[in-house]
Amino acid sequence: MYVNTTSPLKVQNLTKRIKNATLVDHLSFELDPGKIYGFLGPNGAGKTTTIRMITGLISITEGEVFINGYDIKKSPQKALSHLGVIVENPSAYGYLSGYENLQQSARLSLKSISSTRMKEIIKLVDLEHAIHNKVKTYSLGMRQRLGIAQALLHEPSILILDEPTNGLDPAGIRQLRDNLKQVARDENTTILVSSHLLQEIEMICEEAIVLDKGKLVDVIKIKDDSTEPSKMVSLLIEVSNVGKALDVLSSFQVVQSTENAIELLVEQEQVPNVVYKLAENRVDMYEMKRKAVSLEDHFLTLTAKGSN
Ligand SMILES: Nc1ncnc2c1ncn2[C@@H]1O[C@H](COP(=O)(O)OP(=O)(O)O)[C@@H](O)[C@H]1O
Ligand SMILES: [Mg+2]
């Protein structure tokens, strides 16, 4: 079955129930070509379950998935020929070179893959220098780029990555972002990146589909970060006098406070201001730590939507 659409991925009332539990609940969204989307939600929100249904790895209880117009249930081969996916950690044969792994993927592809395509894709993911080395010598970031190359060989319209930033350091995340941007631009591939971290999605995506308890919460637009917009950071500050600190910092968003510490959510540029205010008002500070802003902690506060 085929529906006429320009959307590389259209999900309609997608639902997954296992026994009495509803893991994904009538989820609907539609993606535009060539854009990078976040799939954002706290752990347990149902992201992986949704991705597994989209990719045909598990059955769909209710609803439809169309990849480039093809129904994953009724025309799985056609649908999958337009999809590239990396679930969990990228898996490659460590004792083979990156190139040999790519050849292996090319052999498994329904479409014949030219050596020109192989070259093109290796260049796209910046693996030219290491492609003939054994994969067991690769860093996590390199393995991931190899995984992206494998998923892109057959020129899918949509690439889905499930929590690709897990385990990457900030430099690795930045490189992943640059690679994905290039893929979206050069290949006009739509990309869906799942994560439970708002900050990481903000770095990589233009728009985000937000999921909580299996339901669509919101679709949010994210500022173009080419000019590095203000990032929110969470600060954990240990002080001598919490009451006074709260007074002094009343213009900032306080997430929580304990007997000897407060947690603030502030724009990156405001961090020096926080330090200054505490010092100016002689509130002794013993420690200040930055935490990654996680959805669980802060998304609902940020959007002021409440948890309904
Ligand atoms: N096979 C399963 N049987 C029952 N519950 C499951 C199964 N797989 C996942 N779950 C539950 O479904 C919910 C959604 O899980 P998941 O899709 O992995 O979330 P996410 O990827 O957003 O962290 C979680 O509460 C999880 O415990
Ligand atoms: Mg998951």
Side-chain angles (χ1 to χ4, degrees):
M1 195 186 133
Y2 177 80
V3 293
N4 195 5
T5 171
T6 53
S7 174
L9 177 66
K10 189 176 154 104
V11 165
Q12 261 175 348
N13 287 319
L14 192 63
T15 300
K16 180 72 182 181
R17 276 188 289 269
I18 296 181
K19 293 180 188 149
N20 296 328
T22 306
L23 313 191
V24 177
D25 196 357
H26 295 90
L27 179 63
S28 300
F29 61 85
E30 194 170 332
L31 308 184
D32 290 334
K35 278 208 211 169
I36 306 183
Y37 293 89
F39 193 32
L40 192 59
N43 287 322
K47 302 181 297 293
T48 298
T49 307
T50 303
I51 291 171
R52 290 167 69 87
M53 283 193 280
I54 293 172
T55 56
L57 286 168
I58 56 170
S59 66
I60 292 171
T61 309
E62 210 181 291
E64 272 82 41
V65 171
F66 298 100
I67 299 166
N68 244 19
Y70 292 101
D71 188 324
I72 187 72
K73 281 188 286 193
K74 296 176 180 142
S75 322
Q77 284 223 343
K78 280 269 186 208
L80 291 176
S81 70
H82 296 280
L83 174 75
V85 66
I86 306 174
V87 259
E88 310 294 335
N89 286 319
S91 59
Y93 300 107
Y95 58 92
L96 297 180
S97 70
Y99 196 81
E100 289 163 334
N101 270 282
L102 275 180
Q103 283 179 317
Q104 183 63 18
S105 307
R107 277 193 288 273
L108 293 172
S109 169
L110 294 172
K111 190 168 161 181
S112 81
I113 310 290
S114 68
S115 58
T116 317
R117 177 63 182 161
M118 296 274 280
K119 277 211 190 91
E120 184 178 71
I121 210 75
I122 292 163
K123 183 157 189 284
L124 188 66
V125 297
D126 293 321
L127 276 178
E128 287 153 304
H129 64 290
I131 200 66
H132 294 294
N133 299 344
K134 284 198 170 36
V135 168
K136 65 182 174 200
T137 66
Y138 283 18
S139 68
L140 181 63
M142 289 162 74
R143 279 169 201 249
Q144 194 148 47
R145 269 141 52 209
L146 181 65
I148 293 172
Q150 288 173 298
L152 286 176
L153 267 183
H154 63 295
E155 298 174 68
S157 327
I158 173 151
L159 174 68
I160 301 180
L161 303 101
D162 196 6
E163 305 258 4
T165 54
N166 273 358
L168 290 184
D169 59 11
I173 295 174
R174 233 169 291 131
Q175 173 147 33
L176 176 69
R177 170 190 67 187
D178 295 344
N179 287 136
L180 294 180
K181 285 199 164 152
Q182 206 167 349
V183 169
R185 195 181 55 226
D186 295 359
E187 309 239 311
N188 197 33
T189 309
T190 300
I191 302 175
L192 183 66
V193 185
S194 87
S195 175
H196 61 285
L197 294 171
L198 179 59
Q199 251 179 355
E200 296 184 350
I201 288 297
E202 277 179 336
M203 278 180 76
I204 300 175
C205 306
E206 299 161 60
E207 251 178 80
I209 290 147
V210 185
L211 193 70
D212 190 26
K213 301 189 185 81
K215 287 194 175 120
L216 182 79
V217 178
D218 206 352
V219 179
I220 52 174
K221 290 230 187 286
I222 292 163
K223 280 186 279 186
D224 179 3
D225 71 348
S226 53
T227 52
E228 291 293 325
S230 61
K231 281 199 193 81
M232 299 304 281
V233 295
S234 169
L235 297 177
L236 199 60
I237 312 167
E238 205 180 303
V239 289
S240 56
N241 184 337
V242 169
K244 192 167 174 198
L246 287 173
D247 251 13
V248 167
L249 300 172
S250 60
S251 60
F252 297 97
Q253 190 181 344
V254 178
V255 178
Q256 58 178 342
S257 58
T258 62
E259 230 169 81
N260 59 356
I262 54 179
E263 191 184 341
L264 290 183
L265 188 64
V266 300
E267 287 179 7
Q268 173 128 306
E269 299 82 83
Q270 292 296 321
V271 174
N273 216 354
V274 171
V275 177
Y276 175 74
K277 288 234 163 179
L278 288 172
E280 188 188 35
N281 291 283
R282 303 205 164 263
V283 180
D284 295 331
M285 180 175 81
Y286 297 105
E287 194 176 16
M288 181 156 117
K289 275 193 293 210
R290 289 168 65 136
K291 278 180 30 178
V293 175
S294 83
L295 248 196
E296 285 97 314
D297 295 344
H298 303 310
F299 181 73
L300 297 173
T301 340
L302 275 179
T303 56
K305 278 202 153 249
S307 59
N308 58 51

